[in-house]
Amino acid sequence: QLQLVESGGGLVQPGGSLRLSCAASGFTWDSYNIGWFRQAPGKEREGISCNVRSDGRNDGSTYYLASVKGRFTISRDNAKNTVYLQMNSLKPEDTGVYYCAATMGKDVYCSGYNYDYWGQGTQVTVSS
């Protein structure tokens, strides 16, 4: 069984930064493709960033939601079994519950329908 645990959320002022972590355990961790999603109050869950390279770098297949492009960065550290989401220049509209999810697919469309395993979520609140 693959298990995912998010951490790093909290309360931050507009313009601030947070780094979310998705720690994984289970069989053949390196085989999984991890994505980040969020759900704001009263809104549907949306894909934030998907398809970081297995070596931790971004390439042409790495997806970012348009509203976070240039502010958020996904990365991966296989030695620590962890995927990160660095969030800079945070805005109040970034508030929500952030989830990481895993799929064995490669270069998938950044939709929750393509992901099989989910963490419990971590709350991010951006407010002055």
Side-chain angles (χ1 to χ4, degrees), residues 3 16-17 19 37 51-52 63 80 86 96 104 110 116 120:
Q3 298 183 41
S17 297
R19 187 173 73 164
F37 299 79
N51 299 321
V52 63
Y63 167 85
K80 297 181 178 179
Q86 178 67 46
M104 293 195 71
C110 198
D116 303 305
Q120 83 289 349

Side-chain angles (χ1 to χ4, degrees), residues 1-55:
Q1 296 184 27
L2 179 69
Q3 298 183 41
L4 305 174
V5 179
E6 302 96 334
S7 62
L11 175 64
V12 65
Q13 295 183 11
S17 297
L18 288 172
R19 187 173 73 164
L20 305 184
S21 298
C22 176
S25 62
F27 191 66
T28 61
W29 151 251
D30 290 349
S31 297
Y32 289 93
N33 178 10
I34 308 298
W36 285 97
F37 299 79
R38 74 183 178 194
Q39 188 165 19
K43 297 184 178 180
E44 296 183 353
R45 190 173 299 181
E46 60 186 350
I48 300 301
S49 185
C50 294
N51 299 321
V52 63
R53 283 165 51 101
S54 59
D55 66 2

